[in-house]
Amino acid sequence: MAAHEESGYDVIVLGAGPVGQNAAERARAAGLTVALIERELVGGECSYWACVPSKALLRPVIAIADARRVDGAREAVSGRINAAGVFGRRDRYVSDWDDSGQADWVRGIGATLVRGQGRLDGARRVAVTASDGQTSWLAARHAVVVCTGSRPVLPDLPGIGEARPWTNREATDSSCVPERLAVVGAGGVGVEMATAWQGLGSQVTLLARGSGLLPRMEPFVGELIGRGLADAGVDVRVGVSVRALRRPGGGPVTLALDDDSEVQADEVLFATGRAPLTDDIGLETVGLTPGSWLDVDDTCRVRAIESDWLYAAGDVNHRALLTHQGKYQGRIAGAAIGARAAGTPLDTAPWGRHATTADHHAVPQAFFTDPEAAAVGLTAEQARRAGHRVRTVDVEIGGAVMGAKLYADGYAGRARMVVDLDREHLLGVTLVGPGVTEMLHSATIAVAGEVPIDRLWHAVPCFPTVSELWLRLLEAYRDSIP
């Protein structure tokens, strides 16, 4: 194995996905030199096998569903979705899995792109093994930031190797529509991919181990999405688990369930959780456990390391496995590193403190199902468990908002607002219905900013938009006060 001599940088970032890119960009903005290391494609999971391709697949499905909800438009919808056209659209948005454009962006911000498997090799030192087997060493004067993301977890079930299951990667990069698809798992990946592939022409069976879909959201979210999936033709089964799989000879796969029934499918997708991609990044050389999540403080500094040189942002720290939160953490980490390198107090930045405060109470999430689901902050149950004294108000969107009625005939959706009674501001907002994801940021501002209820009355929604829902929620809250 050939070796190259050591190079020095102020900051070394492991992983050039969106999280690593944001950390690198913010460190560069602070005047620091940065090396960005990537073993696969620059742009990471989000750009090529998750957020971008999944939404590219989902948008045509949702667009057709929206058209069918409007008199005069539904008559123009005929035939099936052109799957080849959808796949072509997806391929454009992932640049045919060519990362040269994103690699150019890295160079454009003045960072050095290093391709290969990066591994810690002691404090502030990283070894990079390239595809040709050559190893080079990099030294970080100030910090190393781990942004290596996560991988799908497959359960240890009899026959799972023989079944050759899909993960999120196959579910988003495949260009052949299986006649029958079984989806195991009812979190975000499961419900979105059930929506997409049913719309593309598969007969989908969705298997949920728990009592409902999207179990971490308000209970009515799973109810409405389950109803929407069933209306679209998905066979939704809750409270069932897979016991074993069979795929003899590479043909169809059989899933044996714990209720003694079986499901036959041409492909099976497991969307059953994620694990950190930290098993092969040299954690053992700095006293940490390979394959573990990395516990961090609010600047994304790894707590287990005494000095302030090791940071972890994005999925690896297990705070919020969402691309936008990871990018937010990357920005915070890069800015915190820059401030510490300059000896500047962290709370004096002109744009705000270098701390990931939104990770604690204002995490937004959106699912592009039919209907869409969006939420930020705490559910009512989470708020009560956290010790808050709360009042919850619900609004049926289609019945209360003229903009929703104009958006879709027979608009079906619901919204919930969770109010802290002691401080009179919002702790959480949940929305379900066509098009609601585009209203999520207004809710996020209200929750993250702790905007008082009496001030929200003066944020006047435009008529006739769906966002007039905000007025209806405030009115429902006013009417609920004894």
Side-chain angles (χ1 to χ4, degrees), residues 366-380:
F367 300 106
F368 296 84
T369 46
D370 183 25
E372 293 178 350
V376 61
L378 304 177
T379 66

Side-chain angles (χ1 to χ4, degrees), residues 47-362:
S47 297
Y48 304 103
W49 298 285
C51 316
V52 172
S54 67
K55 302 315 170 285
L57 293 172
L58 282 158
R59 180 57 196 149
V61 175
I62 302 303
I64 291 296
D66 282 343
R68 287 177 172 148
R69 279 189 279 264
V70 180
D71 286 340
R74 69 169 59 91
E75 290 80 3
V77 179
S78 60
R80 299 177 62 174
I81 284 179
N82 183 328
V86 175
F87 295 141
R89 181 176 192 267
R90 179 227 24 224
D91 294 352
R92 292 196 303 275
Y93 279 99
V94 300
S95 304
D96 290 311
W97 292 273
D98 177 355
D99 69 353
S100 57
Q102 297 211 46
D104 288 343
W105 179 89
V106 172
R107 300 183 187 101
I109 66 168
T112 299
L113 176 61
V114 182
R115 292 188 181 272
Q117 174 66 53
R119 298 179 180 89
L120 293 169
D121 189 26
R124 294 185 172 86
R125 197 162 184 257
V126 175
V128 183
T129 304
S131 58
D132 62 4
Q134 295 190 66
T135 299
S136 57
W137 279 266
L138 310 179
R141 283 180 282 273
H142 295 294
V144 175
V145 190
V146 178
C147 305
T148 49
S150 63
R151 59 175 174 82
V153 173
L154 294 175
D156 185 15
L157 293 172
I160 195 162
E162 176 186 282
R164 302 190 310 279
W166 283 7
T167 66
N168 68 286
R169 290 203 167 192
E170 292 79 11
T172 56
D173 72 12
S174 295
S175 295
C176 181
V177 179
E179 184 176 343
R180 300 166 300 175
L181 174 66
V183 178
V184 183
V189 173
V191 295
E192 285 195 340
M193 290 299 94
T195 301
W197 287 98
Q198 180 73 31
L200 289 168
S202 289
Q203 175 54 60
V204 175
T205 302
L206 177 62
L207 305 172
R209 182 173 60 182
S211 59
L213 314 185
L214 294 173
R216 296 183 181 180
M217 300 184 79
E218 297 281 11
F220 66 83
V221 175
E223 295 170 9
L224 289 171
I225 289 177
R227 191 180 309 159
L229 286 168
D231 289 345
V234 176
D235 180 5
V236 179
R237 305 189 193 184
V238 299
V240 294
S241 297
V242 179
R243 290 189 313 195
L245 302 98
R246 304 190 305 275
R247 194 171 198 168
V253 60
T254 300
L255 292 78
L257 308 182
D258 61 357
D259 62 0
D260 296 326
S261 66
E262 291 186 343
V263 172
Q264 302 284 332
D266 298 288
E267 299 291 350
V268 55
L269 162 64
F270 273 87
T272 48
R274 310 284 296 180
L277 270 171
T278 59
D279 51 311
D280 190 24
I281 61 168
L283 290 183
E284 67 280 1
T285 70
V286 295
L288 301 176
T289 304
S292 63
W293 303 102
L294 299 176
D295 180 44
V296 299
D297 66 13
D298 281 349
T299 66
C300 294
R301 184 186 61 82
V302 177
R303 296 182 197 271
I305 301 298
E306 289 186 4
S307 57
D308 61 2
W309 67 269
L310 186 61
Y311 293 73
D315 285 9
V316 290
N317 65 33
H318 208 221
R319 290 172 70 128
L321 276 66
L322 297 162
T323 296
H324 46 275
Q325 291 301 118
K327 291 166 71 174
Y328 162 66
Q329 293 170 11
R331 294 190 294 271
I332 294 293
I337 292 165
R340 284 175 171 142
T344 304
L346 297 184
D347 60 357
T348 60
W351 55 273
R353 293 185 176 187
H354 300 304
T356 53
T357 57
D359 276 355
H360 298 296
H361 73 282

